[in-house]
Amino acid sequence: MRNLSIIILIIIAISIWETVDKTPPEGLKAMVADSLIQNDTEKGNTSMSDKSFSCEEDWKSKLTPEQYSVLREKGTERAFTGKYTYNKESGIYKCAACGNELFSSETKYDSGSGWPSFWNAYKSESVIERTDNSHFMTRTEIICSKCGSHLGHLFDDGPNPSGMRYCINSIALDFEPKK
Ligand code: FE
């Protein structure tokens, strides 16, 4: 109930902001998305905050079964099987579910893990980190900040300058080559 009140207050704040023809700060948008996703998660509901998709049935009709398994059910594609693991083209990697810009080829590197790896997100607000206690271990899950879809996990064994490794499923991404 308290969460709901906070979300309503934030939505009202954004509405007021937009009526004076200003764009709400990206940080505030990310906070709202996070609140909505967290609220859904607490209810045991993985439905999206993105208005264009209202229920899991919508996702099933939009995504392939393999995409649905990873993006909506937190699955993992088999290592070395993804189409972007060794992609070296310049461009932007977008969320396969909603098109949100997630990663740049400029931060992609070969981690040897068998999954596309990046040392940073495209923008700090592109993705959200979430604690994942599944499979008898504690990891940091990476989800799309716009639609809440599962993308992969974050590890602290990456290269400089961040030292981080965003280990992402190819099937959760759509690559847009640089023009
Ligand atoms: Fe997304």
Side-chain angles (χ1 to χ4, degrees), residues 57-117:
E57 287 307 310
D58 289 337
W59 287 113
K60 281 182 179 172
S61 65
K62 175 180 170 61
L63 304 172
T64 66
E66 293 77 16
Q67 286 177 319
Y68 185 87
S69 170
V70 171
L71 288 157
R72 306 304 307 163
E73 298 181 320
K74 305 182 188 295
T76 302
E77 68 190 10
R78 280 193 298 124
F80 301 102
T81 63
K83 59 183 175 179
Y84 298 134
T85 304
Y86 298 114
N87 183 32
K88 289 182 166 52
E89 279 190 82
S90 295
I92 297 294
Y93 292 85
K94 298 182 172 182
C95 174
C98 76
N100 187 24
E101 294 177 330
L102 302 172
F103 299 97
S104 166
S105 58
E106 292 180 10
T107 63
K108 190 173 188 293
Y109 71 101
D110 184 6
S111 67
S113 67
W115 290 279
S117 301

Side-chain angles (χ1 to χ4, degrees), residues 109-154:
Y109 71 101
D110 184 6
S111 67
S113 67
W115 290 279
S117 301
F118 306 84
W119 53 261
N120 208 353
Y122 184 58
K123 295 177 182 174
S124 60
E125 63 266 30
S126 298
V127 299
I128 293 172
E129 299 173 18
R130 182 70 42 82
T131 300
D132 174 8
N133 290 314
S134 64
H135 302 291
F136 307 103
M137 52 186 155
T138 298
R139 294 177 294 172
T140 300
E141 179 190 10
I142 295 298
I143 63 176
C144 171
S145 65
K146 185 176 174 188
C147 74
S149 290
H150 172 81
L151 304 172
H153 290 90
L154 179 63

Side-chain angles (χ1 to χ4, degrees), residues 25 42-43 50 65 98 142 149 167 172:
E42 284 170 0
K43 289 183 201 167
D50 190 334
C98 76
I142 295 298
S149 290
C167 185

